[in-house]
């Protein structure tokens, strides 16, 4: 048996190697035929007319340039019809090198899934892999070869609007999610329903000073390696085909011109064989940074640093040839970049059939597949986080889940009847998409759920923004007629996203005042908070008995919310980012150092590391989220309490569903390395399992503690373990630790 296994493995390796060899041979043969101009053409990417996120190049000659082989790739060309049309132009070029079509397929294509931060709250890796898979199936059917996702930037600052695009603040969780998403997008590259992933933004973009988008980043090498780089490495381990660099400068060097990042780390140390695309115009922007004196110098710096493809800067298109002729850029550098890109085009099978991915029939089928909507609904429900569910005065039980027989429900708020808003930022804007029929509004979702058994009343109450309270009276009036009030409030979808940093992350406008007015009626209130980032809503959190954080959930938002409201899905989401009490606490993250003067969480003493006017503790901690049931943790056992770094500890525990309904729990394993040659965080997520338990059921879980989990970067940037004591903590969140033990790592 073992022998057959070995032979199969050898055979697979041999086939893979020989395929790779043929591709390399083909690439080299093609390269030999290419003029310098054609080579540079491959490094040049232009946008089509959809969804631009930067200044568009006005180039009336785009079509002629494609026919001359001067463009290697396009983004923002959507749909079979248009991708085909452009590809037909490329097929008129001398060497018939197919175009590569890239697109920001960030959380779904036509079927829109929850924004990535929301999906991260599901902690369900299989679900996230599936959503990426479905996105790939739909996008690839309409001619897209390449998604600019996943975004894997660690983000500890909710003022930064792009937190919605990533997996939150934690390196371990972020790395797992990065891996799952790449697997989902790519499956097997070259299959007609896979797309290339593009891991972005390399690197440290999430640490923009002050949470202001595009801002500088200044951080220690240790923090870069320990906190910000691992999700990129994990995405690479999953086979990510491409990387995108970032807008920010890192310690004074723009990432786009940063040789250390792109060449030394990515291409050399990590042996990355794919290609790097710049971010939108980021080569040209090195002039604004004050790093390049003009676009020509920027082109020189970017190509030298390892940035292979120029997105919308026109820097390579207009300056590389001259730089080669002046002997400033060796032709080998150009050849290397071209080869990386051509290799991917071969791997995708585009030379065999340039229209392989633009197939009308497949597009029709993929876009109308009910299975995709089904998955979107489940994943959306899994992304919702139950923040609060207490028993209000004058009631015997929690408000949630609601009874489907509730006589009268008042559904109030500016987001109740919205369709498009539920898509969130970075949804693909398909030209002919009718949002009213394609996105289930929250109103429709609840209506679908209760049918005629409940009377549903509606009032908008107020707008998302602005200070107009004229609608309050009507809202209060219908609340008074109802048995239950559901209030749907939050941000507008475009308040979080690229270039959407906000200094004030409170609930916008007069929405919290609307909450106060409705709460004053004495009716039981459930608040739904829709947002692309953690918001501040202290009054609501302190006074309203039930709160669901619904983020932006995509096409099936309304149905998923109704599933959770009425208990058809028991919420299981856990926060992937810390929710602050006030903007003044930001950056705030759970895995911080202790400092020499740690502050007690809930008191502001003098001469400790705290604010005199604000507790250090967050409003809602990382990893937090409730369920309609309860879970009991017990019987923590460690196979050993003393190990060498070559050994492992098996950790086991029991988790029991001690409530009355089935539910899912994310069991989180945290460690603290008590003393180190560099100081270590007070707590760090090192593993987790999401489990499903029927009412009364108990499961035994096992985790393995190995060297990898005990290692860290020391001052010399070596990934090492050091002997000493560790705390082991198992919890339902980063602050709700249920079981503890210790162990020692010995020499
Ligand atoms: C964003 C990228 C995106 C690109 C193309 C840029 O502005 O930073 O994340 O992939 O535009 O749309």
């Amino acid at each position: 048996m073992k022998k057959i296994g070995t032979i199969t493995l050898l055979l697979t390796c041999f086939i893979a190697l020989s395929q790779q060899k043929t591709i390399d041979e083909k690439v080299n043969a093609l390269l030999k035929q290419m003029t310098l101009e054609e080579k540079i053409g491959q490094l040049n990417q232009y946008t089509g007319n959809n969804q631009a996120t930067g200044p568009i190049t006005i180039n009336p000659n785009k079509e002629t340039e494609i026919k001359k082989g001067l463009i290697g790739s396009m983004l923002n060309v959507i749909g079979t019809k248009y991708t085909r049309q452009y590809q037909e132009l490329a097929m008129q070029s001398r060497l018939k090198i197919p175009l590569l079509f890239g697109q920001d397929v960030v959380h779904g294509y036509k079927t829109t899934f929850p924004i990535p931060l929301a999906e991260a709250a599901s902690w369900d890796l299989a679900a996230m892999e599936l959503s990426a898979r479905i996105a790939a199936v739909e996008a690839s059917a309409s001619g897209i070869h390449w998604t600019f996702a996943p975004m894997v930037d660690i983000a500890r600052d909710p003022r930064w609007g792009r937190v919605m695009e990533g997996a939150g603040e934690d390196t371990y969780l972020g790395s797992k999610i990065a891996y799952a998403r790449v697997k989902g997008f790519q499956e097997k590259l070259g299959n007609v329903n896979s797309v290339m992933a593009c891991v972005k933004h390399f690197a440290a973009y999430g640490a923009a000073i002050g949470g202001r988008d595009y801002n500088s980043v200044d951080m220690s090498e240790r923090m870069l390696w320990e906190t910000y780089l691992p999700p990129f490495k994990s995405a690479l381990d999953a086979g990510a085909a491409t990387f995108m660099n970032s807008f920010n400068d890192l310690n004074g060097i723009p990432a786009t011109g940063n040789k250390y990042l792109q060449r030394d780390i990515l291409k050399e140390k990590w042996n990355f064989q794919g290609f790097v695309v710049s971010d939108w115009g980021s080569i040209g922007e090195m002039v604004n940074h004050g790093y390049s004196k003009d676009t020509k110098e920027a082109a020189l710096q970017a190509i030298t640093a390892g940035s292979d493809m120029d997105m919308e800067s026109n820097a390579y298109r207009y300056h590389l040839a001259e730089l080669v002729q002046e002997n400033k850029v060796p032709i080998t550098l150009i050849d290397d970049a071209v080869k990386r890109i051509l290799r991917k085009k071969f791997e995708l099978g585009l030379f065999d059939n340039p229209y392989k991915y633009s197939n009308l029939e497949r597009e029709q089928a993929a876009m109308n597949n009910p299975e995709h909507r089904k998955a979107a609904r489940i994943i959306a429900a899994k992304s919702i986080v139950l923040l609060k569910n207490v028993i209000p005065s004058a009631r015997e039980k929690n408000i949630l889940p609601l009874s489907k027989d509730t006589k009268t429900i008042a559904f109030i708020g500016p987001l109740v009847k919205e369709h498009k808003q539920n898509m969130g930022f970075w949804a693909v804007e398909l030209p002919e998409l009718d949002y009213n029929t394609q996105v289930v509004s929250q109103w429709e979702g609840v209506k679908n759920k209760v049918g005629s058994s409940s009377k549903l009343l509606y009032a908008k109450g107020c707008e998302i923004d602005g200070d107009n309270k004229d609608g309050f009276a009507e809202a209060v009036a219908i609340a008074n007629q109802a048995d239950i009030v559901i209030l749907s409030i939050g941000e507008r979808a475009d308040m979080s996203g690229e270039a959407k940093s906000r200094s004030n992350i409170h609930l916008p406008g007069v929405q919290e005042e609307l909450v106060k007015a409705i709460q004053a009626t004495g009716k039981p209130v459930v608040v739904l908070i829709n947002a692309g980032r953690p918001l501040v809503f202290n009054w609501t959190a302190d006074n309203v008995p039930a709160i669901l954080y619904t983020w932006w959930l995509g096409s099936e938002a309304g149905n998923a919310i109704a599933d959770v409201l009425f208990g058809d899905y028991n919420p299981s989401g856990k926060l992937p980012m810390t929710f602050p009490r006030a903007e003044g606490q930001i950056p705030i993250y759970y895995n911080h150092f202790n400092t020499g003067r740690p502050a007690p969480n809930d008191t502001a003493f003098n001469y400790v590391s705290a604010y005199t006017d604000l507790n250090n503790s967050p409003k809602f901690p990382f990893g937090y989220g409730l369920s309609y049931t309860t879970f009991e943790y017990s019987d923590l056992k460690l196979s050993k309490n003393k190990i060498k770094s070559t050994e492992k500890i098996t950790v086991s525990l029991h988790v029991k569903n001690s409530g009355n309904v089935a539910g899912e729990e994310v069991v989180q394993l945290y460690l603290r390395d008590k003393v180190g040659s560099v100081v270590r965080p007070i707590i760090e997520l090192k593993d987790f399992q999401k489990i499903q338990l029927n009412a009364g059921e108990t499961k035994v879980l096992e985790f393995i503690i190995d060297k990898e989990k005990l290692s860290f970067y020391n001052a010399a940037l070596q990934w090492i373990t050091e002997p000493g004591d560790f705390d082991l903590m198992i919890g339902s969140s980063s602050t709700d630790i249920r079981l503890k033990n210790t162990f020692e790592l010995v020499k």
Side-chain angles (χ1 to χ4, degrees):
M1 207 51 194
K2 207 170 158 196
K3 208 167 173 188
I4 297 177
T6 320
I7 293 173
T8 322
L9 187 70
L10 284 174
L11 212 62
T12 321
C13 291
F14 175 74
I15 294 170
L17 274 176
S18 54
Q19 271 174 355
Q20 189 55 46
K21 187 149 178 261
T22 33
I23 286 186
D24 282 346
E25 279 168 7
K26 287 178 187 168
V27 167
N28 288 333
L30 181 56
L31 193 76
K32 278 201 189 119
Q33 300 174 54
M34 294 170 79
T35 63
L36 178 61
E37 225 193 358
E38 283 166 337
K39 287 179 182 175
I40 293 166
Q42 287 305 304
L43 314 185
N44 184 30
Q45 185 186 54
Y46 281 163
T47 182
N49 300 327
N50 290 69
Q51 228 171 333
T53 50
I56 296 190
T57 320
I58 307 295
N59 181 349
N61 299 326
K62 254 182 222 172
E63 301 198 349
T64 325
E65 292 190 7
I66 297 176
K67 286 196 224 167
K68 285 190 182 160
L70 303 181
I71 301 181
S73 171
M74 293 195 73
L75 72 153
N76 296 332
V77 179
I78 294 202
T80 293
K81 187 171 152 206
Y82 298 106
T83 48
R84 233 189 141 84
Q85 275 175 10
Y86 278 111
Q87 200 65 296
E88 277 165 5
L89 297 174
M91 287 306 106
Q92 294 173 43
S93 65
R94 190 177 77 90
L95 293 170
K96 299 192 178 8
I97 301 177
L99 287 171
L100 207 52
F101 295 107
Q103 183 66 34
D104 292 284
V105 184
V106 173
H107 52 111
Y109 188 67
K110 182 184 174 200
T111 308
T112 304
F113 289 88
I115 55 166
L117 184 64
E119 273 195 356
S122 76
W123 294 52
D124 189 326
L125 300 173
M128 285 180 258
E129 183 171 337
L130 179 65
S131 100
R133 183 88 292 275
I134 292 173
V137 168
E138 293 187 3
S140 64
S142 67
I144 305 296
H145 309 127
W146 178 24
T147 174
F148 303 130
M151 187 273 223
V152 305
D153 298 311
I154 294 300
R156 293 168 158 183
D157 190 332
R159 290 171 300 181
W160 190 48
R162 297 197 81 164
V163 300
M164 55 77 47
E165 261 179 82
E169 75 187 39
D170 185 61
T171 303
Y172 180 83
L173 179 62
S175 300
K176 291 280 171 197
I177 292 176
Y179 192 95
R181 288 189 167 138
V182 170
K183 283 282 178 208
F185 285 130
Q186 295 196 167
E187 208 178 51
K188 191 172 174 303
L189 215 56
N191 277 359
V192 74
N193 54 19
S194 286
V195 292
M196 295 196 294
C198 182
V199 191
K200 66 190 191 185
H201 303 85
F202 201 60
Y205 182 41
I209 295 172
R212 230 177 56 215
D213 207 1
Y214 315 123
N215 205 3
S216 298
V217 174
D218 202 314
M219 70 166 61
S220 72
E221 282 275 295
R222 240 184 46 74
M223 186 181 281
L224 177 70
W225 279 93
E226 191 152 293
T227 306
Y228 286 82
L229 290 184
F232 289 96
K233 179 62 168 55
S234 174
L236 182 58
D237 292 342
T242 74
F243 270 57
M244 183 184 292
N245 59 34
S246 55
F247 289 123
N248 57 286
D249 72 89
L250 174 62
N251 303 333
I253 316 268
T256 304
N258 200 312
K259 179 173 166 294
Y260 175 60
L261 286 175
Q262 298 171 98
R263 222 170 259 296
D264 301 351
I265 297 177
L266 182 59
K267 291 183 174 172
E268 277 166 31
K269 193 173 170 61
W270 291 354
N271 193 26
F272 170 61
Q273 297 297 316
F275 68 87
V276 180
V277 63
S278 80
D279 203 345
W280 185 296
S282 68
I283 299 181
E285 286 172 18
M286 292 203 290
V287 177
N288 293 343
H289 277 285
Y291 188 67
S292 320
K293 76 170 185 299
D294 51 25
T295 319
K296 182 175 171 184
E297 189 178 29
L300 168 66
Q301 289 165 320
I303 193 86
T304 308
S307 184
D308 301 302
M309 186 182 277
D310 172 359
M311 179 193 291
E312 277 291 319
S313 282
N314 280 304
Y316 287 180
R317 164 96 182 84
Y318 293 115
H319 302 291
L320 272 189
E322 210 183 341
L323 287 164
V324 173
Q325 276 136 20
E326 290 167 1
N327 288 327
K328 290 189 177 139
V329 171
I331 188 69
T332 47
L333 213 57
I334 308 281
D335 284 352
D336 177 62
V338 177
K339 280 205 249 179
R340 287 170 180 271
I341 293 163
L342 290 180
R343 210 180 285 138
K344 292 300 162 208
K345 292 186 177 182
F346 275 107
E347 282 172 19
L348 287 165
L350 291 176
F351 283 94
D352 298 329
N353 176 7
Y355 308 108
K356 178 173 164 186
Y357 298 85
S358 310
N359 180 320
L360 206 56
E361 259 170 51
R362 212 161 62 78
E363 185 180 42
Q364 288 291 332
M367 299 306 167
N368 297 296
N369 182 338
E371 291 303 312
H372 296 182
R373 295 292 295 230
K374 229 192 251 172
R377 181 170 179 165
I378 296 169
I379 296 172
K382 282 173 184 276
S383 304
I384 296 172
V385 184
L386 176 62
L387 291 181
K388 193 174 176 191
N389 192 21
V390 298
I391 305 176
S393 50
R395 277 176 69 100
E396 275 144 34
K397 59 185 190 82
N398 308 73
I399 297 181
L400 290 173
L402 300 177
S403 156
K404 287 176 195 156
D405 298 325
T406 310
K407 271 212 208 102
T408 309
I409 300 172
F411 203 176
I412 298 171
L415 285 152
V416 174
K417 290 205 169 176
E418 285 293 336
H419 286 90
K420 191 177 173 189
Q421 292 294 332
N422 294 291
M423 304 280 271
F425 203 87
W426 282 123
V428 178
E429 305 225 336
L430 296 180
E432 277 113 39
L433 194 82
D434 174 7
Y435 292 100
N436 292 340
T437 57
Q438 293 300 315
V439 184
V440 184
S441 72
Q442 300 174 14
W443 176 259
E444 288 161 348
V446 170
K447 221 173 166 47
N448 292 343
K449 186 66 74 185
V450 296
S452 54
S453 57
S454 303
K455 190 168 160 199
L456 268 185
L457 305 174
Y458 167 73
K460 191 171 192 181
C462 63
E463 299 296 332
I464 292 170
D465 235 351
D467 52 12
N468 190 334
K469 298 187 201 165
D470 292 353
F472 279 27
E474 187 198 1
V476 168
I478 69 154
N480 277 321
Q481 295 166 40
D483 302 299
I484 291 279
V485 184
I486 312 171
L487 252 173
S488 182
I489 54 176
E491 291 187 312
R492 251 193 346 266
D494 67 2
M495 286 176 164
S496 292
E498 183 174 352
K500 301 294 182 284
S501 295
R502 295 211 284 130
S503 64
N504 173 352
I505 58 165
H506 280 64
L507 277 166
V510 290
Q511 294 181 97
E512 199 151 47
E513 288 178 59
L514 177 66
V515 178
K516 288 180 189 169
I518 301 298
Q519 177 72 9
T521 63
K523 297 287 178 173
V525 179
V526 181
V527 168
L528 310 176
I529 300 183
N530 307 266
R533 52 151 68 87
L535 292 178
V536 174
F537 46 93
N538 294 327
W539 194 92
T540 303
D542 293 342
N543 294 282
V544 170
I547 304 171
L548 288 168
Y549 214 75
T550 56
W551 319 96
W552 297 117
L553 296 171
S555 312
E556 287 288 336
N559 285 333
I561 288 172
D563 287 343
V564 169
L565 280 172
F566 293 90
D568 288 337
Y569 182 79
N570 183 356
S572 63
K574 302 272 187 180
L575 298 177
M577 276 189 88
T578 303
F579 277 44
R581 296 171 181 277
E583 291 85 352
Q585 291 179 306
I586 300 171
I588 182 167
Y589 48 97
Y590 82 99
N591 49 352
H592 56 81
F593 298 143
N594 204 35
T595 79
R597 294 191 178 188
N601 244 347
D602 294 319
T603 335
F605 286 124
N606 260 341
Y607 302 105
V608 290
S609 177
Y611 305 99
T612 54
D613 56 354
L614 192 63
N615 294 335
N616 279 358
S617 65
K619 193 70 191 170
F620 297 104
F622 173 80
Y624 171 82
L626 303 171
S627 162
Y628 296 153
T629 188
T630 45
F631 298 97
E632 274 172 26
Y633 290 51
S634 64
D635 293 302
L636 177 64
K637 289 199 182 85
L638 274 64
S639 60
K640 292 175 191 162
N641 283 89
K642 210 175 245 198
I643 53 163
K644 293 187 184 147
S645 67
T646 48
E647 297 173 328
K648 294 177 182 172
I649 301 177
T650 305
V651 176
S652 69
L653 68 141
H654 292 201
V655 180
K656 178 179 179 190
N657 179 344
S658 46
N660 299 322
V661 288
E664 288 162 86
E665 171 72 324
V666 180
V667 180
Q668 302 159 41
L669 183 150
Y670 294 94
L671 291 181
R672 178 174 185 180
D673 184 351
K674 307 255 321 221
V675 179
S677 60
V678 291
V679 293
R680 309 291 305 129
I682 57 161
I683 182 167
E684 266 185 303
L685 183 73
K686 288 292 177 183
D687 210 342
F688 66 88
Q689 288 182 38
K690 185 162 189 172
I691 53 165
Q692 211 273 342
L693 290 172
N694 292 326
E697 191 187 356
T698 300
K699 273 190 183 151
V700 182
L701 304 194
E702 269 190 14
F703 292 99
I704 303 290
I705 309 251
D706 58 9
K707 188 175 175 186
E708 182 67 18
K709 289 191 167 53
L710 306 176
S711 300
F712 63 96
Y713 285 99
N714 67 6
L717 293 182
Q718 293 155 324
W719 180 243
I720 55 145
T721 54
E722 285 175 355
D725 292 330
F726 286 79
D727 286 338
L728 168 82
M729 294 156 275
I730 308 272
S732 179
S733 85
S734 60
T735 57
D736 183 6
I737 299 302
R738 306 284 182 86
L739 302 168
K740 273 188 183 177
N741 208 326
T742 56
F743 62 89
E744 190 188 350
L745 182 64
V746 291
K747 271 214 175 126

